[in-house]
Amino acid sequence: MSFAFVVGDRALSGEDTHPLWMAAYAMADDYLVVGASAVGQMHLARGRPRDDAFAVRAHSPWVVVAVSDGVGSRPLSRYGSAYVTDVLSALLLRALKPAVPDPEAAAALPTQRPKLAPSPDLPSIRFPQSSASKRAAVSAPIFGKIINCLSASFRTVGGPIEEATSPKSLPPLYQAASIAWQPSQPFADAHNRAVTGPPVYQEQESETQSPITAPVNLHEVMRQAFQKTHHGLREHALSLGLTLSDLACTALALILNVETGEVAAAQVGDGAVLGLTAEGSVVELVHGEQTGDSQSTYTLNGPDFEQHLAITSMARRQDDPFMALYVMTDGVSGDLLYSPKQDMLTEWARKVDSNLQNAPTPAQAAGGMLNWLATYEVPGSWDDRTLVVITRKGGRAHGDSHNQSGASSSAQTAEGR
Amino acid sequence: MANQSNVPDWMAIETPAGERLLPVYLLLDTSSSMQGAPIRAVQEGLEQFQREVAADPFAREVVKVGVITFSSNAQLLTQGLVPITAFTAPPLEASGVTRLDLAFDVLLESMDRDVKRPVKGGQKGDWRPVVFVLTDGRPTDANGHQTDHLWIPARDRVVNREKGKIKPGIIVAVGCGPGVDEQTLKAISTGVAFRMGTSEAAFVAFFQYLTQSIVSSVQPGVTPDTAIPDVPLPPDIIRIP
């Protein structure tokens, strides 16, 4: 089944619309994608905004996740993290799914195609028109009803949404949605400094997209996307009247091909990308380089960021495939990876996966994960927490539900760079 | 945000415990020139510091304190780093000369022994230590002669360490009274240095500033060297340019 969606945070323009809490879900073929990002408890107590961000983009068979953590000492770093996740995910997907020609639409176009617009969106992507797709025929009143149904489902997070999607007149919906909660009061001036200008991604005139030929070189796709996002971040800072260091943030990304099982992960700065295998092992897909100082991290805005960029790509693991993938900022990984109890990491991954699998609806899965991120307590753990999980709903053997104890568990590492 | 009860078992997820703590070292001059009102004011200030930091809901969870006094000798009076909630101001006595170099040696020893480094699969590391040095004069040698030849290399051993070793996040030097030298204070610190009087009000203001500095340092993603200089100064404390 084809799918396409964008969920999660978007780049900020002049008005600071970065919400304190963000939750999102989507279905991508047999996979459930759930993302949640919660402002840290200390930030909340002191009236500071969330500095984390995440975005998930997909166009079958590719799912792309980007996660970022704005540096806490920079009051406006959320502008950086929101930009990075929006643009990085867009660039990755654009490289994987170039424009698909649409004969009917092309006939109606002017003969001269416009240049790519300076926007983190995907203006060059056209979705294939098939007889099964009714989107072109959906009228405005129907869209209004769709929006009302989605709103109703989130208003009743924790309850069934069957009634929201039961009207037979609705066209098939791609199950994907984001919902966010804004603060009721604006932040204090130091954190709400006026910035202007739209998000910027400028295609450089001499820039050419290196041809990505089958089989796709995911390592190169990652490298180029990170590089372009870094350059775009510089332009974005200028457009906002800020310095590049004002937008300092980490960056983590994940690519998944749901048909082939190919996976790629990349990271600059702290955080983690983990995989839970069918046999119950947790694998760290990529090793972000450590500074050696728990209070500092490498960031994407650094001029030498490529020296600290770790990239991994791998084909499907035939013997022990991934059942779930996790991308997280250090607000979560810091609590998980530095514990002496190795089994605890595996149990954590299994339980999160199990909760998502067993949630009555994807909306409840997202709501539950957000609530947990926002409220679990660990002494000294007050940072923003962001987690995106891709979990496979179909194609699992009976013993892969991770509800059973006794499966072997060991932390493995994947080769990086 | 209340838990929506239909979502299965989220609250049952056990998150690995592991604290990240903020070590705070107070290097206090207890030389003979501090006798009388100054040392009493420092004693009371320590008690004030404990009360106020322990009252902050975040700082109380993570701050641990080490008190190093320096005169003719240097001692880690707390015998390690003590959680702020369990910290009791030790009795202070003033006598002797001003061996700041020995205080830095004791600090180095404690950082290597008492401050935790991060270990993946092992433990969370502590935040980098915050160090405050309070003195009313210039450092001396064992005979009481003012000299820079002892304390400067000792300070360098603390600040200029090889990668992987614990280093302070910031050293703040505060001079009280007319006997301080501003250039020396600036050289002791790694960023900001102050001077103040020796009145009771001045010491109260100093320990209030100390509290606010510590509380502001306890923030995710924030380092003390960026947080502390932004803490507003009370009128009795003057920043040395």
Side-chain angles (χ1 to χ4, degrees):
Chain A
M1 187 175 77
S2 61
F3 56 85
F5 57 81
V6 180
V7 294
D9 290 297
R10 304 306 298 268
L12 302 173
S13 58
E15 193 175 346
D16 185 1
T17 55
H18 200 55
L20 292 178
W21 297 282
M22 168 68 77
Y25 70 83
M27 294 300 301
D29 206 12
D30 276 347
Y31 291 82
L32 170 64
V33 182
V34 176
S37 183
V39 63
Q41 293 166 17
M42 178 177 286
H43 283 180
L44 194 61
R46 293 184 173 162
R48 292 196 55 178
R50 177 172 63 105
D51 290 328
D52 278 8
F54 76 91
V56 185
R57 275 186 157 86
H59 191 289
S60 48
W62 300 102
V63 178
V64 169
V65 177
V67 163
S68 177
D69 177 5
V71 169
S73 59
R74 298 288 177 173
L76 297 171
S77 61
R78 61 193 177 282
Y79 283 81
S81 61
Y83 177 88
V84 163
T85 53
D86 200 357
V87 171
L88 181 58
S89 59
L91 287 168
L92 286 168
L93 195 63
R94 179 183 290 180
L96 294 166
K97 200 74 181 177
V100 177
D102 176 350
E104 287 182 354
L109 281 177
T111 51
Q112 196 163 16
R113 292 177 72 104
K115 275 188 176 178
L116 286 172
S119 159
D121 285 325
L122 302 170
S124 60
I125 288 197
R126 301 186 187 282
F127 299 108
Q129 293 291 314
S130 68
S131 58
S133 172
K134 299 290 193 293
R135 278 176 294 161
V138 173
S139 61
I142 297 295
F143 267 125
K145 188 177 281 188
I146 293 170
I147 298 300
N148 286 339
C149 290
L150 289 173
S151 297
S153 74
F154 275 110
R155 279 199 300 274
T156 58
V157 168
I161 62 166
E162 289 87 346
E163 64 273 17
T165 55
S166 62
K168 292 181 181 175
S169 58
L170 286 176
L173 291 175
Y174 289 124
Q175 287 188 353
S178 302
I179 187 166
W181 288 263
Q182 292 275 29
S184 55
Q185 299 288 337
F187 296 116
D189 286 346
H191 308 296
N192 198 28
R193 171 180 154 190
V195 292
T196 57
V200 169
Y201 175 67
Q202 298 283 357
E203 292 275 8
Q204 297 175 14
E205 285 193 9
S206 60
E207 184 181 289
T208 54
Q209 183 83 21
S210 296
I212 307 295
T213 55
V216 177
N217 184 338
L218 295 183
H219 195 286
E220 186 60 17
V221 165
M222 277 289 196
R223 191 192 65 79
Q224 289 186 16
F226 269 75
Q227 198 177 57
K228 290 179 185 178
T229 305
H230 167 81
H231 290 306
L233 193 61
R234 181 187 305 277
E235 296 297 321
H236 188 45
L238 288 174
S239 76
L240 295 176
L242 301 173
T243 65
L244 187 53
S245 57
D246 287 330
L247 304 188
C249 58
T250 64
L252 298 93
L254 175 75
I255 298 171
L256 169 67
N257 185 314
V258 301
E259 289 178 0
T260 65
E262 289 174 271
V263 169
Q267 176 176 358
V268 58
D270 51 29
V273 183
L274 307 176
L276 176 66
T277 71
E279 291 184 5
S281 298
V282 172
V283 176
E284 195 169 356
L285 270 68
V286 64
H287 294 282
E289 187 180 339
Q290 312 272 327
T291 63
D293 176 0
S294 59
Q295 281 179 271
S296 69
T297 183
Y298 294 114
T299 54
L300 183 60
N301 60 296
D304 59 346
F305 84 93
E306 287 197 76
Q307 295 178 26
H308 311 297
L309 173 62
I311 303 175
T312 300
S313 59
M314 60 183 78
R316 179 194 293 273
R317 294 159 56 100
Q318 297 298 332
D319 295 335
D320 188 17
F322 289 125
M323 292 290 109
L325 296 161
Y326 309 76
V327 189
M328 65 193 77
T329 58
D330 74 321
V332 182
S333 67
D335 292 334
L336 296 175
L337 299 181
Y338 292 87
S339 166
K341 298 183 180 181
Q342 282 302 303
D343 286 351
M344 192 160 281
L345 175 59
T346 306
E347 280 307 301
W348 174 89
R350 287 176 179 171
K351 285 184 178 175
V352 168
D353 180 57
S354 173
N355 283 343
L356 297 178
Q357 291 280 338
N358 294 324
T361 67
Q364 286 174 269
M369 193 164 87
L370 175 63
N371 184 58
W372 173 73
L373 285 175
T375 56
Y376 81 75
E377 293 191 0
V378 172
S381 170
W382 307 309
D383 204 354
D384 297 341
R385 294 169 180 158
T386 297
L387 175 64
V388 178
V389 184
I390 305 176
T391 178
R392 187 168 186 173
K393 289 191 78 76
R396 289 194 183 212
H398 178 69
D400 290 344
S401 64
H402 303 306
N403 284 326
Q404 302 170 10
S405 60
S408 63
S409 64
S410 60
Q412 303 174 15
T413 59
E415 290 303 313
R417 294 179 207 270
Chain B
M1 183 182 289
N3 182 20
Q4 302 297 327
S5 59
N6 286 355
V7 179
D9 238 5
W10 284 101
M11 294 301 116
I13 292 182
E14 187 179 0
T15 310
E19 296 173 318
R20 172 170 289 139
L21 303 179
L22 176 66
V24 176
Y25 287 98
L26 305 179
L27 274 57
L28 305 176
D29 184 344
T30 54
S31 60
S32 57
S33 54
M34 288 287 287
Q35 283 175 347
I39 202 70
R40 283 197 300 273
V42 172
Q43 181 83 55
E44 287 167 9
L46 283 180
E47 293 164 6
Q48 170 196 342
F49 168 72
Q50 191 279 332
R51 282 194 308 271
E52 292 178 351
V53 173
D56 181 272
F58 295 103
R60 64 179 284 117
E61 286 191 12
V62 297
V63 171
K64 50 184 181 178
V65 183
V67 175
I68 299 173
T69 55
F70 58 97
S71 52
S72 299
N73 298 303
Q75 277 187 282
L76 179 59
L77 291 187
T78 45
Q79 298 180 340
L81 289 164
V82 177
I84 190 66
T85 50
F87 171 70
T88 303
L92 301 177
E93 292 181 5
S95 67
V97 297
T98 312
R99 295 293 303 274
L100 178 60
D101 60 300
L102 297 179
F104 280 125
D105 290 343
V106 171
L107 172 64
L108 191 68
E109 211 174 86
S110 175
M111 288 196 307
D112 285 342
R113 182 187 62 234
D114 302 321
V115 179
K116 290 189 299 183
R117 295 183 58 235
V119 178
K120 232 176 200 180
Q123 64 183 15
K124 284 186 181 179
D126 290 334
W127 276 294
R128 277 183 279 149
V130 175
V131 179
F132 279 81
V133 179
L134 177 66
T135 181
D136 74 337
R138 294 186 64 173
T140 70
D141 61 15
N143 297 318
H145 299 133
Q146 292 178 357
T147 180
D148 295 331
H149 293 145
L150 295 175
W151 74 267
I152 287 179
R155 175 198 177 276
D156 284 349
R157 285 193 293 273
V158 169
V159 172
N160 299 321
R161 306 194 76 190
E162 62 194 41
K163 189 178 178 181
K165 294 284 191 179
I166 302 285
K167 291 191 293 192
I170 191 170
I171 300 177
V172 179
V174 182
C176 57
V180 297
D181 175 69
E182 290 189 355
Q183 295 309 309
T184 300
L185 291 173
K186 286 179 65 177
I188 291 171
S189 74
T190 58
V192 289
F194 308 96
R195 65 180 308 154
M196 53 183 254
T198 53
S199 66
E200 186 179 336
F203 280 99
V204 169
F206 164 68
F207 280 97
Q208 282 175 346
Y209 168 75
L210 179 63
T211 297
Q212 286 173 22
S213 298
I214 299 309
V215 167
S216 71
S217 297
V218 178
Q219 291 192 61
V222 172
T223 55
D225 56 332
T226 55
I228 289 177
D230 290 339
V231 174
L233 287 176
D236 297 278
I237 300 181
I238 299 165
R239 185 166 181 159
I240 297 172

